[in-house]
Amino acid sequence: GDSVTQMEGPVTLSEEAFLTINCTYTATGYPSLFWYVQYPGEGLQLLLKATKADDKGSNKGFEATYRKETTSFHLEKGSVQVSDSAVYFCALSDSGDKIIFGKGTRLHILP
Amino acid sequence: DTGVSQNPRHKITKRGQNVTFRCDPISEHNRLYWYRQTLGQGPEFLTYFQNEAQLEKSRLLSDRFSAERPKGSFSTLEIQRTEQGDSAMYLCASSNRDSITDTQYFGPGTRLTVL
């Protein structure tokens, strides 16, 4: 069945460092891909999405590009801030219905 | 837009008891989803409704679990004869299938602890 694999955390970076969180997926169809974020004490929020190959999703300085040839959707940010500390989930939806999530990557940003 | 709300936020119960959770979606959203999240894992899909019709149930949803959305608005998730393995965060999400973005918006969750 469909699945998402993302790099395990925790990931600890200094403020202003470059961030990459790797995500690969397995799907039978042509899924939409997502990054969700969960800040401490808050609910899941959609960070960005891409619906077809070569699409780039972006929001709040974060970017991810839908790479069909490598079945990947890596999350990047050029300069992280302490406020980016959160758990990040890569996810897919193959049918437009349920979302399948990865296990999450906890990110700590040190001032 | 008041967002998705869930009640209660926390529930502690003893093994064997029944529990019921409520989810109130964003008002114009016709789809409502239930997920379960255990510690250190991502959310796992349980079931979803379009209006009042339950369209899909995961194999994770044993016969002790039942969900309803009687008038196509709020939904309830009931767990009968709770087990310690049911301890988790239960998340509700809603979306508008008719919108271009069809984004799922999540509530804060109900944390269940079964003693």
Side-chain angles (χ1 to χ4, degrees):
Chain A
D2 295 355
S3 65
V4 174
T5 303
Q6 61 183 105
M7 64 189 286
E8 292 192 16
V11 173
T12 302
L13 296 171
S14 297
E15 204 166 24
E16 299 183 3
F18 184 85
L19 168 71
T20 300
I21 301 178
N22 290 335
C23 171
T24 57
Y25 68 90
T26 302
T28 52
Y30 300 94
S32 294
L33 302 176
F34 310 88
W35 279 98
Y36 276 82
V37 59
Q38 192 167 34
Y39 297 104
E42 298 185 18
L44 273 172
Q45 302 174 24
L46 178 66
L47 180 60
L48 53 84
K49 67 186 279 189
T51 57
K52 61 184 187 297
D54 300 324
D55 267 3
K56 179 185 284 188
S58 61
N59 186 24
K60 298 182 181 180
F62 291 90
E63 294 183 337
T65 301
Y66 191 141
R67 300 286 188 202
K68 185 167 176 289
E69 63 277 12
T70 54
T71 62
S72 65
F73 193 56
H74 305 320
L75 182 68
E76 296 182 337
K77 186 175 185 182
S79 176
V80 292
Q81 306 299 312
V82 171
S83 57
D84 294 327
S85 298
V87 181
Y88 292 81
F89 294 92
C90 185
L92 68 82
S93 178
D94 201 1
S95 56
D97 303 326
K98 64 178 178 283
I99 296 176
I100 296 170
F101 289 86
K103 291 187 176 182
T105 303
R106 184 174 296 277
L107 176 65
H108 294 291
I109 306 299
L110 304 175
Chain B
D1 181 355
T2 58
V4 178
S5 62
Q6 293 186 246
N7 288 289
R9 295 291 305 276
H10 303 273
K11 179 70 177 178
I12 300 174
T13 191
K14 293 182 179 179
R15 187 163 48 96
Q17 298 295 304
N18 299 345
V19 294
T20 300
F21 310 141
R22 176 177 170 128
C23 171
D24 287 87
I26 294 171
S27 59
E28 68 270 21
H29 284 185
N30 48 24
R31 286 204 166 178
L32 187 149
Y33 303 80
W34 286 99
Y35 294 83
R36 180 171 68 188
Q37 185 177 16
T38 54
L39 204 59
Q41 302 294 317
E44 295 174 295
F45 170 78
L46 294 178
T47 189
Y48 87 95
F49 295 82
Q50 176 148 327
N51 300 313
E52 62 275 6
Q54 188 172 18
L55 295 188
E56 186 175 348
K57 293 195 293 186
S58 163
R59 280 172 284 184
L60 291 175
L61 212 64
S62 78
D63 55 7
R64 296 185 297 105
F65 288 70
S66 62
E68 293 183 340
R69 194 183 185 200
K71 296 181 180 178
S73 57
F74 72 92
S75 175
T76 58
L77 178 68
E78 181 182 18
I79 308 174
Q80 295 183 325
R81 304 181 303 281
T82 52
E83 302 172 356
Q84 288 185 325
D86 297 332
S87 296
M89 179 76 85
Y90 290 84
L91 299 172
C92 177
S94 70
S95 71
N96 183 355
R97 183 61 168 169
D98 303 322
S99 79
I100 294 173
T101 58
D102 193 20
T103 297
Q104 289 189 28
Y105 294 87
F106 282 79
T110 295
R111 182 170 296 284
L112 173 66
T113 302
V114 181
L115 302 175

